[in-house]
Amino acid sequence: MKTMARTAIKQALKANQSAEICVKGWVRSVRRGKGVSFIALNDGSSFDSLQLVLAPDLANYDQISRVGTGACISVVGTLSESPAAGQKWELQVFEAEVIGAADDSYPLQKKRHTLEFLRTIAHLRPRSNTFGAVFRMRSALSFAVHKFFQERGFLYVQTPIVTANDCEGAGEMFRVSTLDAAKPPQQNGDVDWSQDFFGERTGLTVSGQLQAELFATAFSDVYTFGPTFRAENSNTSRHAAEFWMIEPEIAFADLAADCRLGEDFLRYMVSYALEHCQEDLAFFNQRIEKGLLDKLEALAKAEFKTITYTEAVELLQKAKQKFEFQVEWGCDLQSEHERYLTEQVFNGPVFVTDYPKQIKAFYMRLNDDQKTVAAMDLLVPRVGEIIGGSQREERFDVLHARMDECGVPQKHLDWYLDIRRWGSCPHAGFGLGFERLLMYVTGMENIRDVIPFPRTPGNAHF
Ligand code: 4AD
Ligand code: MG
């Protein structure tokens, strides 16, 4: 076979003149005709496959025209204008080689599969139309995250994955330990963590926020973008045990500035997708969520509403809709409440601010009413909470007292208190769940379908 550089199918489909090229990829379908045969070849570079035209004078025509769906092949041919509707180019093949064969036990045959079935073959689903589109979108938006913050002069900080601190205080950390699980050393009737690898009890981080705050009090504007882990046993379509979070932290900023940053960021992500991922979005719009494009275009222009938690509770109490959970001032909002607010009342994104202190984390800044904290959640239709953030408590004494109140041991967080001791300043930040963003932008309804290899209770196989 001729040695020739490989052309990505995306490039081939965009060609503006006929050319001799080599393409490699995986067979999506084979159609054997009387005269010629057709193969749809996809290499993941674009949603569309390239149509290969095989004529019987091809040396190994019999082998190639009988190749199985899923096989990996390499071909050389001439790009020529296609008479078929919906495609500009096809490839008249004059050399072909099977790189990796596939027989008919290959699970991704032509018929449409359910997303549930595709989850059971997470190792093969990237080769399907839907997951090709999802993971191209994931890659594009990852890049856009960095682009947004770098363009604004933010410093990218990699916060640790192993940590001794439960930032959210919800007790959902996965343990990291090298102690003998069957017989850990004991002291005073408890495990003696001082003998563990790090000399104290450690786990996988639930958030990079606390360390990001340290960097914000040195570099002013910073962000993290990395994996976070939560051992919450909630089997919902919006929770994963391992997910990626984007956490900006800004010095000299209050809650209002934090909300503006969140709004600008979400708008930027959506605009980026609209501009750079048109082909995949067209597919999502047609097959996954009808009206998705209109929704995204509306969001790119929408005014984000802001209400306080107290106003939200009043709206929910006045609602005609029956909720499974009754709403009272002081209770946490359930996803049914969040969705009612964003879908029924505002029909768009809404910030809910100033939550009761007892349902929020210790680090949020106490408001003058002494009852609420300067917190914000951004709610969007269908997904619910997409951002959670706050202004941070920068006053040493108040933070100290809040830690006591919340039962947060100070000996673990002496370093966190130190930045309030020396050169403290008002600062704020938020966390945006990257998978929730992807669900919003693609219309996919289950978080398991926007992560390459989802980790949920009972699932870490692939
Ligand atoms: O609201 P959360 O718990 O906030 C924090 O972790 C703060 N430390 C962030 C900060 O201020 N720097 O989580 C932030 C976001 C949520 O709004 C949601 O989008 C996502 O992270 N999230 C999850 N996504 C998937 N699976 C889970 N189990 C998630 N838990 C939170
Ligand atoms: Mg939250």
Side-chain angles (χ1 to χ4, degrees):
M1 185 142 178
K2 248 190 192 166
T3 44
M4 222 175 148
R6 181 178 73 89
T7 299
I9 286 175
K10 179 182 183 166
Q11 300 309 324
L13 292 171
K14 280 200 307 213
N16 44 28
Q17 61 183 50
S18 171
E20 198 173 294
I21 58 168
C22 165
V23 295
K24 303 181 188 198
W26 293 268
V27 171
R28 282 290 173 84
S29 66
V30 186
R31 223 161 12 101
R32 257 174 86 91
K34 274 218 193 75
V36 291
S37 296
F38 301 99
I39 288 178
L41 194 71
N42 194 286
D43 65 0
S45 61
S46 70
F47 186 87
D48 288 326
S49 299
L50 177 64
Q51 167 149 288
L52 311 181
V53 185
L54 313 163
D57 56 0
L58 196 65
N60 51 351
Y61 180 74
D62 249 25
Q63 182 204 14
I64 291 291
S65 61
R66 283 174 208 282
V67 77
T69 302
C72 181
I73 65 172
S74 166
V75 298
V76 176
T78 310
L79 210 49
S80 46
E81 279 188 42
S82 174
Q87 58 189 27
K88 186 165 175 223
W89 297 107
E90 59 186 23
L91 195 73
Q92 304 285 344
V93 174
F94 50 76
E95 264 188 85
E97 185 189 350
V98 177
I99 300 176
D103 62 19
D104 48 8
S105 63
Y106 180 65
L108 277 177
Q109 298 295 336
K110 237 185 358 208
K111 75 179 176 76
R112 265 181 93 175
H113 300 284
T114 64
L115 297 173
E116 287 77 9
F117 168 72
L118 290 169
R119 251 172 249 153
T120 68
I121 51 165
H123 56 311
L124 296 170
R125 68 177 184 172
R127 293 193 202 167
S128 66
N129 275 340
T130 304
F131 288 94
V134 165
F135 295 128
R136 274 188 300 274
M137 179 68 83
R138 190 175 167 113
S139 170
L141 290 189
S142 301
F143 176 73
V145 166
H146 289 292
K147 195 163 182 290
F148 174 86
F149 288 112
Q150 297 286 335
E151 281 171 2
R152 283 160 185 73
F154 281 59
L155 179 116
Y156 175 37
V157 51
Q158 293 84 11
T159 50
I161 289 173
V162 176
T163 173
N165 312 109
D166 179 359
C167 166
E168 292 307 296
E172 291 162 347
M173 286 174 88
F174 285 100
R175 178 128 355 120
V176 172
S177 173
T178 52
L179 294 178
D180 180 352
K183 259 198 304 119
Q186 302 281 318
Q187 195 187 38
N188 308 328
D190 197 4
V191 176
D192 182 8
W193 299 107
S194 72
Q195 293 189 45
D196 205 349
F197 189 91
F198 295 106
E200 61 183 315
R201 193 184 165 121
T202 51
L204 298 178
T205 187
V206 298
S207 160
Q209 177 198 324
L210 301 185
Q211 291 91 350
E213 281 188 54
L214 307 187
F215 267 59
T217 58
F219 298 97
S220 308
D221 296 322
V222 306
Y223 70 105
T224 71
F225 180 21
T228 46
F229 307 85
R230 296 197 185 176
E232 53 191 335
N233 204 354
S234 49
N235 243 315
T236 79
S237 59
R238 306 176 318 128
H239 289 87
E242 177 181 299
F243 63 99
W244 281 60
M245 189 155 46
I246 295 127
E247 296 183 274
E249 194 66 36
I250 45 179
F252 319 113
D254 59 8
L255 189 67
D258 201 30
C259 291
R260 292 296 73 76
L261 181 65
E263 176 172 343
D264 288 350
F265 180 54
L266 185 60
R267 210 192 290 285
Y268 185 94
M269 288 293 119
V270 167
S271 306
Y272 189 91
L274 285 168
E275 194 179 330
H276 295 91
C277 310
Q278 288 164 359
E279 206 189 9
D280 292 322
L281 274 180
F283 167 79
F284 293 126
N285 188 53
Q286 196 191 1
R287 298 289 273 274
I288 305 292
E289 183 185 341
K290 294 263 179 293
L292 176 72
L293 280 175
D294 291 343
K295 177 189 89 174
L296 296 179
E297 269 152 21
L299 184 112
K301 293 186 221 107
E303 182 198 335
F304 288 34
K305 301 286 188 328
T306 303
I307 54 169
T308 64
Y309 168 89
T310 304
E311 288 163 344
V313 167
E314 283 162 16
L315 285 169
L316 290 163
Q317 287 174 336
K318 277 198 305 221
K320 297 219 167 56
Q321 185 170 325
K322 279 273 155 287
F323 297 113
E324 192 185 334
F325 295 94
Q326 281 297 313
V327 187
E328 257 174 77
W329 199 95
C331 74
D332 220 345
L333 299 184
Q334 303 292 327
S335 66
E336 56 174 343
H337 308 134
E338 296 176 343
R339 293 190 58 169
Y340 172 81
L341 291 170
T342 182
E343 288 167 19
Q344 307 298 323
V345 183
F346 294 100
N347 190 26
V350 56
F351 284 107
V352 180
T353 64
D354 304 293
Y355 286 75
K357 65 176 179 179
Q358 62 272 23
I359 58 170
K360 288 290 183 187
F362 72 94
Y363 53 72
M364 297 188 178
R365 192 177 196 280
L366 191 63
N367 286 329
D368 291 344
D369 63 13
Q370 307 292 316
K371 287 194 306 203
T372 58
V373 287
M376 61 91 153
D377 277 0
L378 177 62
L379 314 178
V380 293
R382 245 178 27 86
V383 172
E385 179 192 335
I386 193 165
I387 286 179
S390 68
Q391 185 172 341
R392 318 307 188 188
E393 185 54 76
E394 86 284 12
R395 298 163 294 187
F396 182 92
D397 296 337
V398 184
L399 181 61
H400 205 275
R402 277 289 287 152
M403 284 168 78
D404 283 346
E405 216 174 279
C406 298
V408 177
Q410 272 154 40
K411 69 172 189 317
H412 288 304
L413 288 176
D414 46 354
W415 50 271
Y416 186 72
L417 278 159
D418 271 356
I419 54 166
R420 277 73 178 171
R421 234 177 226 122
W422 302 301
S424 188
C425 70
H427 60 289
F430 64 77
L432 176 138
F434 189 49
E435 287 73 23
R436 301 250 176 113
L437 171 71
L438 285 166
M439 290 169 72
Y440 184 74
V441 173
T442 60
M444 299 296 285
E445 288 189 350
N446 196 309
I447 195 163
R448 293 165 181 77
D449 297 332
V450 294
I451 310 188
F453 301 99
R455 267 82 184 98
T456 51
N459 292 304
H461 181 64
F462 293 99

